[in-house]
Amino acid sequence: MRLLLIRHGQTPSNVKFLLDTAVPGARLTELGETQAAALPEALAGEDIDALYASTLIRTQLTAAPLAEARGLGVRVRDGIREVAAGDLEMRGDPESAHTYMTTLFAWAAGDTELRMPGGENGVEALGRFDAVVAEAADSGADAVAMVSHGAVIRMWAAARADNVDVPFAAEHRLDNTGVVVLEGSPADGWKAVSWAGAVVAAAGPDTGSGPAGEAVHG
């Protein structure tokens, strides 16, 4: 299966660098609406059999133009929502951002019992995302697009793709409406094909700095 993980368009909380992860979350800015409207053309070369979005309204608004262009319904699933910030919700200070990103990349590295302060742990976060991916794979679709969130996409890709590790995912942020394309299946594993338009090496990407550098909020 070909799996396209798409970050939603820009929100006011993105502009303010806030950890906005609770449902329903912020709507799109004017720029975010423009980014969403550009998705059908940006993905014109991709066959998409099914389209998913999270329970946060920004992903559904981002998915809407693509759904209309392809004649697809949007399957809303809580499992692909952003990593819950817990006690850090709506904070934008560097210390909170550092704790948030360090925690989720620790999950990707295998420390899945670690818990976000006041929030979920890695077993829960990976498990819910895995469940939606498994549902899509079981549907028989050859190509699936999921409009989700920057941090959870980077965390899940680092944990599940054979050729993406934590340093790579930490170094390579995903801008609004950026896309990570993977191929594989839950049974056979996943390989990243491209990350924000750049090809990902099959043998393993070049590594960069660790997870403490910067955060992507929602």
Side-chain angles (χ1 to χ4, degrees), residues 49-102:
D49 302 315
L51 177 60
Y52 289 75
S54 83
T55 43
L56 278 74
I57 189 65
R58 54 188 178 269
T59 64
Q60 298 166 47
L61 294 172
T62 302
L66 184 60
E68 182 177 1
R70 299 298 181 95
L72 295 170
V74 179
R75 305 176 187 186
V76 177
R77 300 290 186 270
D78 185 63
I80 56 171
R81 63 175 162 77
E82 185 56 291
V83 172
D87 295 342
L88 309 177
E89 184 70 18
M90 296 307 291
R91 291 179 60 174
D93 57 284
E95 181 180 356
S96 295
H98 176 87
T99 298
Y100 183 77
M101 295 304 291
T102 299

Side-chain angles (χ1 to χ4, degrees), residues 120-212:
E120 60 192 334
N121 66 19
V123 173
E124 296 161 346
L126 283 164
R128 60 176 170 80
F129 205 101
D130 284 340
V132 182
V133 173
E135 175 193 330
D138 289 344
S139 74
D142 292 325
V144 175
M146 294 186 178
V147 184
S148 184
H149 305 264
V152 75
I153 290 172
R154 291 163 72 196
M155 183 272 293
W156 187 85
R160 298 295 185 242
D162 295 339
N163 59 334
V164 174
D165 60 11
V166 168
F168 179 89
E171 178 70 12
H172 293 76
R173 63 171 293 150
L174 195 64
D175 291 331
N176 294 108
T177 62
V179 183
V180 175
V181 180
L182 304 100
E183 291 183 348
S185 71
D188 299 330
W190 299 93
K191 288 190 181 298
V193 176
S194 65
W195 188 289
V199 174
V200 180
D206 185 28
T207 58
S209 62

